[in-house]
Amino acid sequence: MTTLAVPMSSARPANPSHIGPPAPTLGAAANAAPDGKRKIKIQTTDMGFFYGTHQALQKITLDIPERSVTALIGPSGCGKSTYLRSLNRMNDIIEGTRVIGKVLLDGEDIYARDVDVVELRKRVGMVFQKSTPFPKSIFDNIAFGPRIAGVRSMATLAPLVEQCLKQAALWNEVKDRLKDSALALSGGQQQRLCIARALATNPDVLLMDEPASALDPGSTARIEDLIDDLRKNYTIVIVTHNMQQAARVSELTAFFCMGRLVEVGRTKQLFTNPKEKETEDYITGRFG
Amino acid sequence: MSQTPENFSANLAWRHRMGWLFAATCRLATWASVVFLVVILLVIVSRAWPRLTPEFLTHFDSYKPESAGMLAGILGSFWLILFTGAICVPIGVGAAIYLEEYARSNWLTRFIQLNISNLAGVPSIVFGILGFTAFVRMFGVPRTAIVLALGFADVRIPLPFGRSVIAGSLTLALLCLPVVIIASQEALRSVPASLRHAALALGATKWQTISRQVLPAAMPGILTGVILALSRALGETAPLAVLGAAYFITFAPGRINSASDLAQHPDRLLQVPFDQFTAMPLQIYNWVNEQSRDFQQQVSAAGIVVLLVVLVLMNGSAILIRQHFQRKIRW
Amino acid sequence: MTAGSPPPTTPANAQVKVPRGSSLKRRFTWNGAYEKCIRIVLLGCALVSVITTASIVFVLLYESVLWFPGHTPFFGKVSLVEFLTATQWTPQFDGNQHFGILPLICGTLLTTVTAGAIGLPMGLASAIYLSEYASPQARSILKPSLELLAGIPTVVYGYIGLFFLTPLLIKPVLTGVFGLSVDGFNALSGGIVVGLMIMPMVASLSEDVLRAVPSSLREAGYALGATKYDVSAKIIVPSALSGIIAAFLLALSRAIGETMAVAIACGNRPQLTLNPLRQIQTMTSFIVNMMKGDTPVGSIEYQSLYAVALVLFLITLTMNYVSQWILRRYREAYQ
């Protein structure tokens, strides 16, 4: 049980070195990572999160490198989803929430006073646990993001929709029925549609909140293949309950417990040789 | 008071008999209302029967029961409800959007919400008094008129509004407002939060999320509520009577009495809101108060039948809309 | 594109991109200004209802209470004590005007009590039947019928009271059988039709309240060997009692404010009587009858309209407020 097979794609370059133990002194200069390693896309420093007076996250310090997949694992209620949703400020919707510490995207503090949340969310796309197609046609679903950003002409929209659907590996299944309601798609197709829709706003980062937890194994495998494709161009952060899935798709894994970040490391190392006792208990099934 | 098996079972039989009686009473009371509904409909239709002719719909009122018609009331009610909807729906839906989507839970929101539910319980006649003071008399401003020259036609807007369609519509719009707001709020609340989150996560602004996703999804519920509110407004008599709307009138608002009038003088449309009017329920009330028995019993019954048919058509369309969209959208 | 954006590794990636800003910083955009305008407009819409209430209060107070130089309100001409205790209401008798609201209150009381006696028990019984006994088929007939009944305009109820109930039911039974004298206009007929009018409202409000009672209470009752009657009458109704009282209050306040049915069926003679077979005048039918005639603006009889409307407004507002307060506490108790 302790030795999960971790099939990492062998062609991947080595992962960044300064992960795990915090490096809080890094400022904007961290953008260009030292020693030529991959640069940091999202940098979280001593971040805390409050629902009213209840502190849901404390002292989270985590660097997420660009063009990679980072998995967030941990027992229910550990704060991993809260952390994910704080990266595109979706928690702002909930009244009475508060963030302390710093979250930097490309060196810019996303919680600074003068940040335009709408601009942030265009850059940091999100896919939810339950697929959320709009009750409209497939085409209109994908075109929603570009349209609200001011793209009106069909000459631009049509190829954009095609390109996003191709990226999400859905084009061949739906190319003849773009005008059909998105609600007629199967669960797995709906979820890929949501991924395609998120890609259409031209984001750098994709946040995925248990994207496959409601899907059958076949659809799950397709989503995982898709994630594997997307990592070439996007920074992906994925929350998952399924440790095998974390092991299959991610290069980095962060283990959350009770609102704290217990351990972060290369996925293979974390699953085979965790540093912390809590991590070991969790991945061996003695916890949660 | 020991509970022996014998008196327990006797007690049980008694309880069963009581239970039967109770259920029968409840059933009787409920079905009695249906019987009452059927009886009043039969009484009214049978009395109205001799007067239910095509002429009843196409003639204006008359002092002779055999030639009295409802055209003025039908056209008056049409314009009245049209303007009521045009005023009340944007404001009501806007208020509902504000309260459901924008407002934070603070004292102002709670105050507005409490105020709306209290307003819903204010008797319609009090709205009539408000309308009379604020729109018909406009708090007693001196009588003048603004003439808007639009080039192709002049619109004469009397101030104060007097006993005009617009005064009636404004009054009915305020009366309908709480109903429209409450129905729209429920419709908005039934739209799943995931739809909003999905749109926001794609970088939509708040208003883009609402106007492009939330409102279309809530539209069936809102439409149903609006139609129900307007059909209530259509049957309202008391506020219009208090406004002093005409009872006996032999022309329609704007003097558009027929399709050919409209074709020949389309500019009269602009004068519609500022003209005198009567409405279907007002005509019925007038006929009920007439001296002649024919008017009292037959003509007014015919008027009631016409009014009820219009109401049934409106409510039926509300039901159709609800069913149509329920099939189309499923979450 | 930002400097750090990925190089186009796939051909598809190179095609079309949605434009975007170079920084997360908020800039002035017309779109942003538009969003702010929308928010203000919507807040304005929400405030219309507050303004409406404020105007109602102002309008009613202005003619009845507020004192300005050159403007004497109703209660400046008639003392509050006289208004509340005198037993005659004769605003239209020149030279012999009396403004004692008691006859109007009494008329309203008569119709409301009659309406309550009919509408409340029938409505509650229907609610119990619909929520505890009725089969789905019965419900599918009863619910729309009740909605239809609730949607019938009030003039129609007036017509039924005046031309159906009084001549065909009340007079034959009470005069023919018991020998009582019945006026052509009487409080009883108006009260009965108003009762039937509020009955669907009581039924639907109470049904909601009964359905809110947790089913665990029902199951607990049945598990103790209770019959359906025991459960309905001794468990469900008592636990929903406060909600039912709130529904009753709302319905009664509606009956008090009801105008056309009573104006048509009950007549227009204000008199201090508790006999429901007499012609009476309610507060609402006084207002509607007074406004029909061209009452000179500013005269004392004109102002008396506002005083009566103020009383009506205060009574219904209080009842609604109390009822909502009870309902809110009730919902909190079962959530």
mmCIF file with all atom_site columns, all heavy atoms in Angstrom, chain A residues 158-172:
data_model
loop_
_atom_site.group_PDB
_atom_site.id
_atom_site.type_symbol
_atom_site.label_atom_id
_atom_site.label_alt_id
_atom_site.label_comp_id
_atom_site.label_asym_id
_atom_site.label_entity_id
_atom_site.label_seq_id
_atom_site.pdbx_PDB_ins_code
_atom_site.Cartn_x
_atom_site.Cartn_y
_atom_site.Cartn_z
_atom_site.occupancy
_atom_site.B_iso_or_equiv
_atom_site.pdbx_formal_charge
_atom_site.auth_seq_id
_atom_site.auth_comp_id
_atom_site.auth_asym_id
_atom_site.auth_atom_id
_atom_site.pdbx_PDB_model_num
ATOM 1   N N   . ALA A 1 158 ? -15.845 31.555 -34.342 1.00 0.00 ? 158 ALA A N   1
ATOM 2   C CA  . ALA A 1 158 ? -15.955 30.187 -34.847 1.00 0.00 ? 158 ALA A CA  1
ATOM 3   C C   . ALA A 1 158 ? -14.636 29.418 -34.747 1.00 0.00 ? 158 ALA A C   1
ATOM 4   O O   . ALA A 1 158 ? -14.607 28.321 -34.189 1.00 0.00 ? 158 ALA A O   1
ATOM 5   C CB  . ALA A 1 158 ? -16.505 30.193 -36.270 1.00 0.00 ? 158 ALA A CB  1
ATOM 6   N N   . PRO A 1 159 ? -13.516 29.990 -35.261 1.00 0.00 ? 159 PRO A N   1
ATOM 7   C CA  . PRO A 1 159 ? -12.269 29.241 -35.103 1.00 0.00 ? 159 PRO A CA  1
ATOM 8   C C   . PRO A 1 159 ? -11.829 29.103 -33.655 1.00 0.00 ? 159 PRO A C   1
ATOM 9   O O   . PRO A 1 159 ? -11.234 28.089 -33.276 1.00 0.00 ? 159 PRO A O   1
ATOM 10  C CB  . PRO A 1 159 ? -11.251 30.069 -35.899 1.00 0.00 ? 159 PRO A CB  1
ATOM 11  C CG  . PRO A 1 159 ? -11.891 31.364 -36.181 1.00 0.00 ? 159 PRO A CG  1
ATOM 12  C CD  . PRO A 1 159 ? -13.354 31.187 -36.078 1.00 0.00 ? 159 PRO A CD  1
ATOM 13  N N   . LEU A 1 160 ? -12.163 30.109 -32.835 1.00 0.00 ? 160 LEU A N   1
ATOM 14  C CA  . LEU A 1 160 ? -11.783 30.045 -31.423 1.00 0.00 ? 160 LEU A CA  1
ATOM 15  C C   . LEU A 1 160 ? -12.500 28.887 -30.732 1.00 0.00 ? 160 LEU A C   1
ATOM 16  O O   . LEU A 1 160 ? -11.901 28.110 -29.981 1.00 0.00 ? 160 LEU A O   1
ATOM 17  C CB  . LEU A 1 160 ? -12.142 31.375 -30.745 1.00 0.00 ? 160 LEU A CB  1
ATOM 18  C CG  . LEU A 1 160 ? -11.743 31.523 -29.282 1.00 0.00 ? 160 LEU A CG  1
ATOM 19  C CD1 . LEU A 1 160 ? -10.232 31.523 -29.155 1.00 0.00 ? 160 LEU A CD1 1
ATOM 20  C CD2 . LEU A 1 160 ? -12.297 32.809 -28.708 1.00 0.00 ? 160 LEU A CD2 1
ATOM 21  N N   . VAL A 1 161 ? -13.796 28.753 -31.015 1.00 0.00 ? 161 VAL A N   1
ATOM 22  C CA  . VAL A 1 161 ? -14.568 27.670 -30.415 1.00 0.00 ? 161 VAL A CA  1
ATOM 23  C C   . VAL A 1 161 ? -14.018 26.328 -30.866 1.00 0.00 ? 161 VAL A C   1
ATOM 24  O O   . VAL A 1 161 ? -13.816 25.410 -30.065 1.00 0.00 ? 161 VAL A O   1
ATOM 25  C CB  . VAL A 1 161 ? -16.063 27.815 -30.795 1.00 0.00 ? 161 VAL A CB  1
ATOM 26  C CG1 . VAL A 1 161 ? -16.829 26.567 -30.441 1.00 0.00 ? 161 VAL A CG1 1
ATOM 27  C CG2 . VAL A 1 161 ? -16.674 29.023 -30.111 1.00 0.00 ? 161 VAL A CG2 1
ATOM 28  N N   . GLU A 1 162 ? -13.701 26.245 -32.170 1.00 0.00 ? 162 GLU A N   1
ATOM 29  C CA  . GLU A 1 162 ? -13.167 24.988 -32.695 1.00 0.00 ? 162 GLU A CA  1
ATOM 30  C C   . GLU A 1 162 ? -11.848 24.644 -32.012 1.00 0.00 ? 162 GLU A C   1
ATOM 31  O O   . GLU A 1 162 ? -11.631 23.512 -31.566 1.00 0.00 ? 162 GLU A O   1
ATOM 32  C CB  . GLU A 1 162 ? -12.969 25.121 -34.210 1.00 0.00 ? 162 GLU A CB  1
ATOM 33  C CG  . GLU A 1 162 ? -12.429 23.840 -34.825 1.00 0.00 ? 162 GLU A CG  1
ATOM 34  C CD  . GLU A 1 162 ? -12.231 23.954 -36.330 1.00 0.00 ? 162 GLU A CD  1
ATOM 35  O OE1 . GLU A 1 162 ? -12.847 24.861 -36.934 1.00 0.00 ? 162 GLU A OE1 1
ATOM 36  O OE2 . GLU A 1 162 ? -11.476 23.140 -36.876 1.00 0.00 ? 162 GLU A OE2 1
ATOM 37  N N   . GLN A 1 163 ? -11.013 25.654 -31.878 1.00 0.00 ? 163 GLN A N   1
ATOM 38  C CA  . GLN A 1 163 ? -9.693  25.426 -31.288 1.00 0.00 ? 163 GLN A CA  1
ATOM 39  C C   . GLN A 1 163 ? -9.810  24.963 -29.834 1.00 0.00 ? 163 GLN A C   1
ATOM 40  O O   . GLN A 1 163 ? -9.119  24.032 -29.405 1.00 0.00 ? 163 GLN A O   1
ATOM 41  C CB  . GLN A 1 163 ? -8.917  26.735 -31.398 1.00 0.00 ? 163 GLN A CB  1
ATOM 42  C CG  . GLN A 1 163 ? -7.700  26.871 -30.524 1.00 0.00 ? 163 GLN A CG  1
ATOM 43  C CD  . GLN A 1 163 ? -7.289  28.340 -30.426 1.00 0.00 ? 163 GLN A CD  1
ATOM 44  O OE1 . GLN A 1 163 ? -7.477  29.109 -31.369 1.00 0.00 ? 163 GLN A OE1 1
ATOM 45  N NE2 . GLN A 1 163 ? -6.742  28.709 -29.292 1.00 0.00 ? 163 GLN A NE2 1
ATOM 46  N N   . CYS A 1 164 ? -10.723 25.588 -29.083 1.00 0.00 ? 164 CYS A N   1
ATOM 47  C CA  . CYS A 1 164 ? -10.866 25.213 -27.678 1.00 0.00 ? 164 CYS A CA  1
ATOM 48  C C   . CYS A 1 164 ? -11.443 23.806 -27.545 1.00 0.00 ? 164 CYS A C   1
ATOM 49  O O   . CYS A 1 164 ? -11.024 23.026 -26.688 1.00 0.00 ? 164 CYS A O   1
ATOM 50  C CB  . CYS A 1 164 ? -11.768 26.204 -26.954 1.00 0.00 ? 164 CYS A CB  1
ATOM 51  S SG  . CYS A 1 164 ? -11.031 27.818 -26.845 1.00 0.00 ? 164 CYS A SG  1
ATOM 52  N N   . LEU A 1 165 ? -12.396 23.495 -28.398 1.00 0.00 ? 165 LEU A N   1
ATOM 53  C CA  . LEU A 1 165 ? -12.984 22.158 -28.336 1.00 0.00 ? 165 LEU A CA  1
ATOM 54  C C   . LEU A 1 165 ? -11.942 21.105 -28.712 1.00 0.00 ? 165 LEU A C   1
ATOM 55  O O   . LEU A 1 165 ? -11.906 20.011 -28.141 1.00 0.00 ? 165 LEU A O   1
ATOM 56  C CB  . LEU A 1 165 ? -14.205 22.067 -29.256 1.00 0.00 ? 165 LEU A CB  1
ATOM 57  C CG  . LEU A 1 165 ? -15.477 22.721 -28.713 1.00 0.00 ? 165 LEU A CG  1
ATOM 58  C CD1 . LEU A 1 165 ? -16.546 22.812 -29.777 1.00 0.00 ? 165 LEU A CD1 1
ATOM 59  C CD2 . LEU A 1 165 ? -16.006 21.949 -27.504 1.00 0.00 ? 165 LEU A CD2 1
ATOM 60  N N   . LYS A 1 166 ? -11.070 21.457 -29.658 1.00 0.00 ? 166 LYS A N   1
ATOM 61  C CA  . LYS A 1 166 ? -10.006 20.513 -30.032 1.00 0.00 ? 166 LYS A CA  1
ATOM 62  C C   . LYS A 1 166 ? -9.047  20.325 -28.873 1.00 0.00 ? 166 LYS A C   1
ATOM 63  O O   . LYS A 1 166 ? -8.642  19.211 -28.552 1.00 0.00 ? 166 LYS A O   1
ATOM 64  C CB  . LYS A 1 166 ? -9.257  21.036 -31.258 1.00 0.00 ? 166 LYS A CB  1
ATOM 65  C CG  . LYS A 1 166 ? -9.969  20.710 -32.552 1.00 0.00 ? 166 LYS A CG  1
ATOM 66  C CD  . LYS A 1 166 ? -9.196  21.242 -33.743 1.00 0.00 ? 166 LYS A CD  1
ATOM 67  C CE  . LYS A 1 166 ? -9.874  20.786 -35.040 1.00 0.00 ? 166 LYS A CE  1
ATOM 68  N NZ  . LYS A 1 166 ? -9.493  21.653 -36.170 1.00 0.00 ? 166 LYS A NZ  1
ATOM 69  N N   . GLN A 1 167 ? -8.694  21.437 -28.224 1.00 0.00 ? 167 GLN A N   1
ATOM 70  C CA  . GLN A 1 167 ? -7.776  21.346 -27.087 1.00 0.00 ? 167 GLN A CA  1
ATOM 71  C C   . GLN A 1 167 ? -8.371  20.485 -25.986 1.00 0.00 ? 167 GLN A C   1
ATOM 72  O O   . GLN A 1 167 ? -7.664  19.783 -25.292 1.00 0.00 ? 167 GLN A O   1
ATOM 73  C CB  . GLN A 1 167 ? -7.507  22.740 -26.524 1.00 0.00 ? 167 GLN A CB  1
ATOM 74  C CG  . GLN A 1 167 ? -6.365  23.461 -27.196 1.00 0.00 ? 167 GLN A CG  1
ATOM 75  C CD  . GLN A 1 167 ? -6.124  24.788 -26.523 1.00 0.00 ? 167 GLN A CD  1
ATOM 76  O OE1 . GLN A 1 167 ? -6.940  25.693 -26.618 1.00 0.00 ? 167 GLN A OE1 1
ATOM 77  N NE2 . GLN A 1 167 ? -5.018  24.902 -25.820 1.00 0.00 ? 167 GLN A NE2 1
ATOM 78  N N   . ALA A 1 168 ? -9.696  20.558 -25.834 1.00 0.00 ? 168 ALA A N   1
ATOM 79  C CA  . ALA A 1 168 ? -10.345 19.784 -24.786 1.00 0.00 ? 168 ALA A CA  1
ATOM 80  C C   . ALA A 1 168 ? -10.744 18.393 -25.277 1.00 0.00 ? 168 ALA A C   1
ATOM 81  O O   . ALA A 1 168 ? -11.494 17.687 -24.607 1.00 0.00 ? 168 ALA A O   1
ATOM 82  C CB  . ALA A 1 168 ? -11.579 20.521 -24.275 1.00 0.00 ? 168 ALA A CB  1
ATOM 83  N N   . ALA A 1 169 ? -10.261 18.015 -26.487 1.00 0.00 ? 169 ALA A N   1
ATOM 84  C CA  . ALA A 1 169 ? -10.518 16.690 -27.047 1.00 0.00 ? 169 ALA A CA  1
ATOM 85  C C   . ALA A 1 169 ? -12.003 16.381 -27.136 1.00 0.00 ? 169 ALA A C   1
ATOM 86  O O   . ALA A 1 169 ? -12.449 15.269 -26.877 1.00 0.00 ? 169 ALA A O   1
ATOM 87  C CB  . ALA A 1 169 ? -9.800  15.611 -26.224 1.00 0.00 ? 169 ALA A CB  1
ATOM 88  N N   . LEU A 1 170 ? -12.789 17.398 -27.479 1.00 0.00 ? 170 LEU A N   1
ATOM 89  C CA  . LEU A 1 170 ? -14.233 17.198 -27.562 1.00 0.00 ? 170 LEU A CA  1
ATOM 90  C C   . LEU A 1 170 ? -14.730 17.455 -28.987 1.00 0.00 ? 170 LEU A C   1
ATOM 91  O O   . LEU A 1 170 ? -15.854 17.123 -29.340 1.00 0.00 ? 170 LEU A O   1
ATOM 92  C CB  . LEU A 1 170 ? -14.919 18.171 -26.579 1.00 0.00 ? 170 LEU A CB  1
ATOM 93  C CG  . LEU A 1 170 ? -16.393 17.939 -26.245 1.00 0.00 ? 170 LEU A CG  1
ATOM 94  C CD1 . LEU A 1 170 ? -16.603 16.587 -25.630 1.00 0.00 ? 170 LEU A CD1 1
ATOM 95  C CD2 . LEU A 1 170 ? -16.893 19.040 -25.319 1.00 0.00 ? 170 LEU A CD2 1
ATOM 96  N N   . TRP A 1 171 ? -13.855 18.022 -29.812 1.00 0.00 ? 171 TRP A N   1
ATOM 97  C CA  . TRP A 1 171 ? -14.280 18.496 -31.142 1.00 0.00 ? 171 TRP A CA  1
ATOM 98  C C   . TRP A 1 171 ? -14.921 17.385 -31.963 1.00 0.00 ? 171 TRP A C   1
ATOM 99  O O   . TRP A 1 171 ? -15.992 17.557 -32.533 1.00 0.00 ? 171 TRP A O   1
ATOM 100 C CB  . TRP A 1 171 ? -13.081 19.093 -31.857 1.00 0.00 ? 171 TRP A CB  1
ATOM 101 C CG  . TRP A 1 171 ? -13.363 19.509 -33.276 1.00 0.00 ? 171 TRP A CG  1
ATOM 102 C CD1 . TRP A 1 171 ? -12.878 18.931 -34.410 1.00 0.00 ? 171 TRP A CD1 1
ATOM 103 C CD2 . TRP A 1 171 ? -14.200 20.580 -33.707 1.00 0.00 ? 171 TRP A CD2 1
ATOM 104 N NE1 . TRP A 1 171 ? -13.347 19.577 -35.517 1.00 0.00 ? 171 TRP A NE1 1
ATOM 105 C CE2 . TRP A 1 171 ? -14.176 20.600 -35.117 1.00 0.00 ? 171 TRP A CE2 1
ATOM 106 C CE3 . TRP A 1 171 ? -14.990 21.537 -33.043 1.00 0.00 ? 171 TRP A CE3 1
ATOM 107 C CZ2 . TRP A 1 171 ? -14.882 21.518 -35.880 1.00 0.00 ? 171 TRP A CZ2 1
ATOM 108 C CZ3 . TRP A 1 171 ? -15.700 22.452 -33.796 1.00 0.00 ? 171 TRP A CZ3 1
ATOM 109 C CH2 . TRP A 1 171 ? -15.651 22.439 -35.199 1.00 0.00 ? 171 TRP A CH2 1
ATOM 110 N N   . ASN A 1 172 ? -14.254 16.231 -31.999 1.00 0.00 ? 172 ASN A N   1
ATOM 111 C CA  . ASN A 1 172 ? -14.756 15.171 -32.871 1.00 0.00 ? 172 ASN A CA  1
ATOM 112 C C   . ASN A 1 172 ? -16.133 14.673 -32.444 1.00 0.00 ? 172 ASN A C   1
ATOM 113 O O   . ASN A 1 172 ? -16.918 14.236 -33.271 1.00 0.00 ? 172 ASN A O   1
ATOM 114 C CB  . ASN A 1 172 ? -13.767 14.005 -32.896 1.00 0.00 ? 172 ASN A CB  1
ATOM 115 C CG  . ASN A 1 172 ? -12.520 14.377 -33.678 1.00 0.00 ? 172 ASN A CG  1
ATOM 116 O OD1 . ASN A 1 172 ? -12.595 15.200 -34.593 1.00 0.00 ? 172 ASN A OD1 1
ATOM 117 N ND2 . ASN A 1 172 ? -11.383 13.818 -33.288 1.00 0.00 ? 172 ASN A ND2 1
#
